[in-house]
Amino acid sequence: MDSNIKRSIIIDNYQNPTNRGLKNNKDSIKVKANNESCIDEIDLEIQITDDKLVNIHFDGEACAICTASTSIMIQKLLNKTKEEAIKIIDEFNNMINEKEYDEKLLGQATAFNEVSKQPNRIKCATLTWNSLKKVLKN
Ligand code: ZN
């Protein structure tokens, strides 16, 4: 992916993130994701019905990388089963850790494939993905 395209994906998702604002549904799971090395403090709200992630929302304050990455994560994981979602999260981590990854499966999330060159941004990019994975593993 061209670096201008990557940049515009990140900026678009930062300025108009998907599903910002919590719904406070009584049957959803809430989790806090904090990154002490940045300003990132995000609340995630996940609704799982019949093993599927039918709703994911977020709110809070975060940098551009963290906000954009959370927005893209939501697009990628909505309506996936727990198992499919964990697979996508693992592939995202593989990419960030410079291992082999499934480019097709990650789609727009590959806009973050150069984050590994900026070690202080890695946690910003992976924060909410890994918080969500913890929820799915429980
Ligand atoms: Zn950050």
Side-chain angles (χ1 to χ4, degrees), residues 35 37-38 40 63 115-125:
N35 175 8
S37 55
C38 190
D40 314 324
C63 69
V115 166
S116 53
K117 290 177 188 163
Q118 301 168 271
N120 58 332
R121 311 305 282 177
I122 289 175
K123 196 162 178 201
C124 300

Side-chain angles (χ1 to χ4, degrees), residues 21-32:
L22 301 182
K23 294 287 162 196
N24 296 306
N25 289 328
K26 61 180 182 339
D27 54 348
S28 61
I29 302 162
K30 287 219 188 120
V31 62
K32 279 192 181 297

Side-chain angles (χ1 to χ4, degrees), residues 73-103:
M73 171 185 81
I74 291 173
Q75 293 161 28
K76 295 303 301 179
L77 301 189
L78 263 180
N79 296 313
K80 296 289 189 290
T81 65
K82 282 191 198 177
E83 195 183 333
E84 287 166 343
I86 289 169
K87 168 79 177 149
I88 294 168
I89 295 168
D90 287 345
E91 290 295 324
F92 187 74
N93 276 306
N94 285 343
M95 179 185 79
I96 299 287
N97 294 319
E98 296 184 303
K99 292 180 193 157
E100 280 199 26
Y101 63 94
D102 188 335
E103 211 173 323

